[in-house]
Amino acid sequence: MENSNAQDQVTVISRTGFAYFPIALMARLPFAMVVIGVLTLVVSARGSVELGGFASASVGLGVACCGPLLGAAADRFGQRPMLLLAGAVNAVLLGVLAWVAFSTLPMWAVFFSAFLVGASVPQISPMSRARLVGIISSQLPAARRSRSLSSTFAYESAADEVIFVFGPVTVGLLATAFGAWAPVIGAGVLTLIFVTAFALHPTGAKAQVEEGTVTYVAPVSQLWRPTLLLTVIGILAVGMFFGSMLTSLTAFMQDRGDAEQAGLIYGVMGVGSAIFAVGVAWLSPKFTLRARWLVFALLIFGGALFLQTAHDLPRMILALAVMGIGIGPLLVTLYSFGAHRTPAGRGATVMAMLGTGIMVGQSFTAAVAGVVAEHVSTQASLLLPLLAATIAVAAGVVNWFLTPAGPEPELG
């Protein structure tokens, strides 16, 4: 009985400590700065928006190729050694990229350097989610796991929203104050400090397998289950939305002579998204995950449709506000699906797959939106967020038929 009462007092914060959350928040800031920072760097150094977009896409390609492998390495060897190695390598490569961009080396060297940066990016968000899911599934009472999971993913998604808003703002401030090289170098410095702190936090050790124990790890083939792959497609659509929306909004504001205000206007969506993401924790369990996916994706789709009529700033702000209601809760829902559909012993791998989906979608659509805005029109680039929303809705419809009715099974 005493043991049961003690377990009832266990909370996520009691297991992580209060310092964990600000460390994890700052450690993910470089991740949010890299895509826009590389774009800014290459545009300034090589004088071409197109080349800058392709460099950003090279970062995304690197993440796509190696992000899930880093997650698998974390599952195999523990998060701490993987993060310490990746953080050190990534910080050095960011400095190399800054030098190569302003050198006389050909563009393929810039693209290759950008690819290596993406390949070595320490994916803090997936690692943090994997740690917290592990704590919830192994140390909290079964009756509290579902709500704790929802609350945790709500916080994590809100944190991502804040970082994805302040990442571009930080890039803009550093570039304005010191030059186009500063955001990339700044990301490297932040990586060394905060990724190292995140790796050395006690939860990094807890995420590893205790010596002498044998833990079942599901075969790699289980990562290719249709329901899990569908979740990755859904989160890829969210990344596509982020990248295309920020780039097309920048073009929209540039047409009005206020390109530097794009980050602030983008914040209208980001702030609303973070608020509604936190609110997901209070939704009724009767509002199932498969229903939430469809409802929130349709909200984004509706806002993206209205976006096509945004020929002035007030309409743009209204469209962003509507889409913000759906994007944060959809992220929470998709990560919840990812946690429930994770094969045994593959938590970091799955969270890395989802984090990679966001980064890849953001990188490639940012590049495509830049090319479309420059060579076709800003209005044409605004169709890309609508395309991303359409993919999210379509994936939600398929998920509806693949997911049994009722709530997802409990973790653990």
Side-chain angles (χ1 to χ4, degrees), residues 211-259:
E211 187 175 354
T213 64
V214 178
T215 301
Y216 173 71
V217 177
V220 174
S221 59
Q222 290 198 26
L223 295 172
W224 304 103
R225 290 183 298 185
T227 52
L228 182 54
L229 291 179
L230 189 63
T231 307
V232 174
I233 292 172
I235 214 154
L236 176 68
V238 172
M240 291 173 62
F241 176 83
F242 281 140
S244 60
M245 189 65 249
L246 180 57
T247 305
S248 59
L249 174 62
T250 301
F252 179 88
M253 296 303 295
Q254 186 177 38
D255 291 345
R256 286 150 183 78
D258 287 318

Side-chain angles (χ1 to χ4, degrees), residues 12 16 20-26 28 123-133 136 148-164 198 242 273-274 277-278 280-281 328-329 331-333 335-336 351 358:
V12 174
T16 61
Y20 173 83
F21 294 96
I23 291 173
L25 184 70
M26 289 302 299
R28 70 186 78 191
Q123 298 185 45
I124 302 301
S125 293
M127 297 300 106
S128 178
R129 286 179 170 92
R131 290 187 193 187
L132 298 178
V133 168
I136 291 169
S148 294
L149 182 72
S150 182
S151 299
T152 297
F153 281 148
Y155 162 77
E156 286 286 316
S157 295
D160 283 343
E161 288 292 335
V162 170
I163 290 303
F164 273 113
F198 181 77
F242 281 140
S273 179
V278 172
V280 169
L331 261 182
V332 175
T333 301
Y335 273 112
S336 296
M351 291 301 156
I358 291 181

